Amino acid sequence: MKIAISPTVLLLANLFFSDASAFVERTWPEAFTLADRTVAQMTTAEKLGVIRGRGQFNSRCVGDTNAVPRLGIPSICLQDGPAGVRLTKGVTGFPTGINAASTFSRRLMKARGVALGEEFRGKGVNVHLGPGLDIMRNPKMGRAWESAGPDPYLTGEFAYETTLGIQSTGVQACAKHAIANNQEHWRYGLSADIPDERTSREIYWYPFERAVEAGLTSVMCAYNRVNQTSSCRNEDVIGNTGILRKDLGFKGWIVSDWGATHDSATDHANAGMDMEQPGDWILIGGGVYSPGLEWALNDGSVTNSTVNQLVSRILAGFYKLGQETGFPPPNFNVQRADGPLNLNVVVRTPAHVALSKEIASASAVLLKTTTSGSSATVTRGLPVDIAKVKTVAIIGQDARMPKRDCDPMGKCNEGTMSVGWGSGTNSLEFIIPPEDAIKSFVGTKAAITTSTTMDINNAVNAARGKDVAFVFVNAMSGELLFYDVVHGNQGDRNDLALWWKGGSLVEAVAAVNPNTIVVVHSVGPVSLTWSNHANITGIIYAGAPGEQTGPSIVDVLFGEYNPRGRLPFSIADTEAAYGTSIVYGMDGFPTITYSEKLLLDYRYMDSINHTPRFPFGFGLSYTTFAYSAFSVAQTSSNGGIVISFTVHNSGGRTGTEIPQVYLGYPASAGEPKMVLRGFEEVLDLGAGASRAVSIAIARRELSIFQSGKGWVRPTGTFTVYVGASIKDIRLQGTIAL
Ligand code: BGC
């Protein structure tokens, strides 16, 4: 039976539940004062109830805690995922983390965080299990789309803005997964061995460092081991004298990934793991705090003061964001997603939908157009002028509506790919696929033929003779859950090929249609070896854009939105160009040594003088930009530098440019040849207009990490490169520091 709820009730519920205006953020000392006062009044049973989850089949959320009503502590609700509230209805399917990264826009990253926070709050979720901050160590890494790619600086900016945005609504962010959670195969026990502190801090911890600077209240420790010791009991990772708490200054609480407690309660509690989720044993591990923590308290191997500290940190996060007043209880229940107890309060708002569409368009990367920069007489390439087109073909299974009720983990791998699978998936309830959006835009202005079955002959027949053929292709990946295999892939992708023979489909269509325009929906780099084909007149890499996939791509294809997205990774033809691999088959949990150290993605490619097909930071526009008037100077106050230049729109229409700053360190520093250290969004620059841009780089971002010394700014001559991608440097200069 479904309960019918009138739209007015939903609207009122929505207004009531999402109102974050009343909340006041506290400082950490204020929050700890309140937390300690509460802890002092709690019984041991009450404390243990807050430390451990209520069990996978008892929680209303993917994880929750026991309430202490007499002290005003509700059951704390923790919920996935990083691209929208999971396992409930009435929510927005936001663009993924990797697409947020593709915007190279702090403004949009933050706005996305705010909108996510509003929806989580509206659903009564205290803790948003995100942002995902796992570095894309290898392009096939199954969950890389949940976070922001291989570059630590870009991921750091994403971490900072997303955390600020989420927590500005009074919802706690839970950055995950600490640390070195970089492949799905063997994730429950592999050891990621990071050879030196410098690699660990500059690459893997740096995004967490930025999230901590944004006031982050919680962190999830990972399933994997780090340097042989399990993350959730690893003193170096989570201990009071470890990296997160001592070096990064993190004050909040740490929760286990679900079932990531592989050792004894004593080991985990004494190492500093504050909360265990989901609280019971879930096949892969877990359930060590219950009843293990009572035993450990009884035999003295864990002290009362340790337990008090764990509870205090959890409650401090809660008080820091004022969650004790006005925070709604959960109004959904993951145990019965469609059941009668699920109120399905609608938290999706027109503003969130509009923002999702904007981010999806802003993250679409124009890789190729034969007409880039020209305007009046476009007959081939992008943008498509619908007034000049009489016949349109829509091709590829990636264009059509996905199956939406296939699996709670979102393994809907038929139809368009808008998000990967696993706990990071979002809601497909309101998805608008490209096919529907194109049909609704074109209307009766042109005749449309579709072929969305993946039958190549059928596709060729549909494309032949049409004024334009849009071909949609994809590749997907996700989270390893037990032994789930999706289209032959177990979390991590098997290779860089497009799924469903997408490459052959593109080539077959291009063989018969001289105006073939390809849209790639993918979770990460894919091999695009056909990109130079003369009949392929446009290519857009659209990533995993969320529910507004169709409308957002229509705006880009037909010129309503001038593309400005940038690749947050390089696209090379082969995996060998990336210098790392995924460890698949083994007899037991492997040790994976991160011997590449700082050399991921473009940093590795530069080191072997490899030029990828499409470089990091690359993305075209329907207009063109010129750069001039470069200068670089030291800033007097903070030991940083400031780079100034002018961007001029030298083309025919308004557009947004993303200038990027790469640094070349003095050779003695031992850094990769060029590293991203700044970018800016030069928003909506009119045709013919110019704008002065200045990009500041603070002392820490000029520094390298030295063991025992921390961040040290090297002495010597730095080269400063300003460009439209790492391979399109327009201005450069040097500065001696
Ligand atoms: C994932 C986490 C997720 C948790 C709860 C785990 O399997 O690794 O990222 O937050 O499940 O769903």
Side-chain angles (χ1 to χ4, degrees):
M1 187 192 84
K2 288 225 162 98
I3 298 176
I5 303 165
S6 79
T8 323
V9 171
L10 285 180
L11 183 67
L12 288 175
N14 185 7
L15 289 176
F16 173 73
F17 287 133
S18 339
D19 181 18
S21 55
F23 115 88
V24 179
E25 182 162 0
R26 298 191 175 93
T27 63
W28 281 113
E30 287 165 352
F32 271 105
T33 302
L34 290 176
D36 290 340
R37 198 178 293 162
T38 302
V39 173
Q41 300 170 63
M42 290 169 82
T43 65
T44 302
E46 286 170 341
K47 291 176 194 169
L48 295 177
V50 171
I51 288 175
R52 54 200 187 196
R54 295 200 304 139
Q56 57 181 321
F57 299 117
N58 301 323
S59 306
R60 288 197 71 160
C61 308
V62 299
D64 62 20
T65 61
N66 293 281
V68 189
R70 70 181 186 92
L71 298 174
I73 306 296
S75 167
I76 296 171
C77 164
L78 299 87
Q79 184 72 6
D80 297 310
V85 193
R86 186 180 151 225
L87 299 174
T88 181
K89 295 196 166 178
V91 300
T92 308
F94 288 95
T96 55
I98 197 72
N99 276 56
S102 244
T103 67
F104 277 67
S105 165
R106 295 177 184 87
R107 173 184 66 90
L108 292 174
M109 291 173 186
K110 171 139 183 235
R112 176 177 171 275
V114 173
L116 280 164
E118 285 169 353
E119 297 207 359
F120 277 74
R121 185 181 179 100
K123 285 282 174 181
V125 178
N126 300 84
V127 185
H128 164 103
L129 298 176
L133 301 183
D134 300 321
I135 290 285
M136 183 192 274
R137 178 172 175 265
N138 177 279
K140 300 179 302 181
M141 172 178 147
R143 297 180 72 179
W145 52 273
E146 293 184 42
S147 42
D151 186 78
Y153 177 79
L154 181 58
T155 306
E157 295 307 289
F158 167 78
Y160 183 82
E161 300 297 339
T162 308
T163 303
L164 270 189
I166 292 167
Q167 296 201 163
S168 75
T169 67
V171 170
Q172 302 188 55
C174 181
K176 64 190 189 183
H177 308 82
I179 192 87
N181 185 146
N182 306 114
Q183 70 164 50
E184 291 305 292
H185 282 78
W186 304 105
R187 70 168 177 162
Y188 298 119
L190 68 82
S191 183
D193 285 12
I194 307 180
D196 52 37
E197 209 181 340
R198 179 171 182 180
T199 303
S200 153
R201 290 294 302 274
E202 289 190 21
I203 305 286
Y204 299 96
W205 279 113
Y206 179 78
F208 285 86
E209 186 159 351
R210 296 289 286 134
V212 170
E213 285 166 4
L216 181 72
T217 60
S218 69
V219 166
M220 188 186 294
C221 52
Y223 287 119
N224 56 279
R225 290 176 295 146
V226 179
N227 296 334
Q228 304 299 322
T229 306
S230 209
S231 300
C232 292
R233 60 156 296 196
N234 190 321
E235 301 259 355
D236 292 342
V237 176
I238 65 169
N240 283 339
T241 56
I243 293 175
L244 187 51
R245 296 199 205 272
K246 179 164 166 285
D247 300 343
L248 271 49
F250 174 63
K251 302 268 185 297
W253 52 282
I254 296 168
V255 59
S256 70
D257 198 343
W258 271 228
T261 38
H262 309 304
D263 299 289
S264 72
T266 308
D267 292 330
H268 290 285
N270 287 341
M273 194 194 79
D274 303 294
M275 185 190 288
E276 180 181 41
Q277 285 292 351
D280 48 4
W281 184 70
I282 58 163
L283 290 179
I284 49 169
V288 308
Y289 274 4
S290 183
L293 213 43
E294 271 106 327
W295 298 342
L297 273 172
N298 290 340
D299 71 18
S301 58
V302 171
T303 63
N304 278 318
S305 87
T306 296
V307 167
N308 287 347
Q309 190 177 38
L310 309 185
V311 184
S312 168
R313 286 193 292 233
I314 295 169
L315 294 185
F318 172 82
Y319 287 123
K320 183 164 196 299
L321 296 186
Q323 294 192 339
E324 80 286 4
T325 40
F327 204 94
N331 46 51
F332 64 102
N333 186 339
V334 297
Q335 307 296 344
R336 26 173 104 220
D338 291 299
L341 291 184
N342 188 356
L343 183 58
N344 283 331
V345 170
V346 176
V347 293
R348 184 175 185 273
T349 66
H352 295 173
V353 174
L355 177 70
S356 293
K357 182 177 165 208
E358 183 186 357
I359 296 174
S361 294
S363 56
V365 185
L366 179 63
L367 295 180
K368 176 180 180 180
T369 169
T370 54
T371 55
S372 179
S374 73
S375 52
T377 56
V378 177
T379 52
R380 293 174 74 208
L382 288 165
V384 174
D385 181 350
I386 192 63
K388 295 187 179 135
V389 165
K390 296 281 159 289
T391 50
V392 173
I394 304 173
I395 289 166
Q397 61 94 35
D398 181 71
R400 71 175 143 85
M401 180 64 93
K403 267 181 147 181
R404 284 179 292 175
D405 53 357
C406 37
D407 186 287
M409 300 310 288
K411 290 180 293 176
C412 301
N413 61 324
E414 284 182 52
T416 197
M417 199 292 293
S418 62
V419 66
W421 75 83
S423 62
T425 199
N426 60 20
S427 168
L428 300 180
E429 188 182 2
F430 299 102
I431 188 171
I432 305 171
E435 178 183 358
D436 297 18
I438 293 175
K439 283 182 173 163
S440 117
F441 173 81
V442 172
T444 54
K445 295 190 273 280
I448 298 183
T449 310
T450 54
S451 170
T452 56
T453 62
M454 294 314 286
D455 178 317
I456 291 191
N457 288 332
N458 193 280
V460 167
N461 289 335
R464 192 179 282 116
K466 304 301 181 319
D467 293 340
V468 57
F470 295 115
V471 188
F472 289 82
V473 288
N474 68 26
M476 193 181 192
S477 70
E479 181 174 346
L480 173 85
L481 286 147
F482 308 107
Y483 297 100
D484 289 338
V485 177
V486 183
H487 193 58
N489 298 256
Q490 217 178 334
D492 309 303
R493 281 183 286 155
N494 294 335
D495 50 43
L496 296 184
L498 288 163
W499 283 23
W500 313 102
K501 299 198 172 69
S504 307
L505 179 75
V506 167
E507 284 173 315
V509 170
V512 299
N513 189 306
N515 194 19
T516 297
I517 289 169
V518 185
V519 176
V520 181
H521 285 125
S522 174
V523 286
V526 269
S527 180
L528 305 177
T529 48
W530 35 259
S531 70
N532 292 329
H533 194 300
N535 282 352
I536 298 178
T537 53
I539 305 174
I540 295 173
Y541 180 90
E547 63 158 59
Q548 293 300 306
T549 176
S552 65
I553 201 70
V554 160
D555 282 2
V556 175
L557 291 172
F558 294 99
E560 179 66 25
Y561 190 97
N562 191 354
R564 39 69 57 94
R566 302 299 166 119
L567 289 178
F569 41 68
S570 313
I571 295 185
D573 290 354
T574 64
E575 188 190 359
Y578 295 86
T580 58
S581 52
I582 298 284
V583 176
Y584 297 95
M586 292 272 300
D587 289 335
F589 292 124
T591 289
I592 303 176
T593 304
Y594 288 18
S595 48
E596 75 285 350
K597 297 187 176 174
L598 307 178
L599 299 181
L600 295 181
D601 196 273
Y602 66 83
R603 297 152 165 245
Y604 177 72
M605 295 180 195
D606 276 355
S607 78
I608 57 166
N609 291 322
H610 177 85
T611 303
R613 185 167 290 267
F614 297 106
F616 182 90
F618 180 79
L620 300 169
S621 162
Y622 296 151
T623 186
T624 50
F625 298 95
Y627 291 54
S628 63
F630 173 91
S631 72
V632 55
Q634 268 187 272
T635 46
S636 43
S637 54
N638 68 358
I641 59 174
V642 61
I643 297 129
S644 307
F645 52 95
T646 300
V647 174
H648 170 69
N649 184 339
S650 47
R653 54 181 289 174
T654 298
T656 297
E657 176 67 337
I658 311 284
Q660 300 146 46
V661 175
Y662 297 88
L663 280 190
Y665 280 76
S668 59
E671 279 291 296
K673 270 190 200 161
M674 292 166 83
V675 292
L676 181 74
R677 283 291 187 265
F679 58 83
E680 205 42 76
E681 177 187 40
V682 184
L683 191 63
D684 294 339
L685 193 60
S690 297
R691 197 174 298 162
V693 180
S694 75
I695 296 182
I697 305 181
R699 184 181 193 106
R700 200 244 328 260
E701 279 62 46
L702 293 168
S703 300
I704 62 171
F705 192 85
Q706 290 188 343
S707 209
K709 293 195 185 147
W711 293 107
V712 177
R713 195 186 71 182
T715 306
T717 301
F718 286 71
T719 307
V720 177
Y721 305 94
V722 175
S725 85
I726 193 165
K727 293 291 177 201
D728 186 8
I729 299 303
R730 307 290 185 86
L731 304 167
Q732 73 183 71
T734 58
I735 185 163
L737 297 175

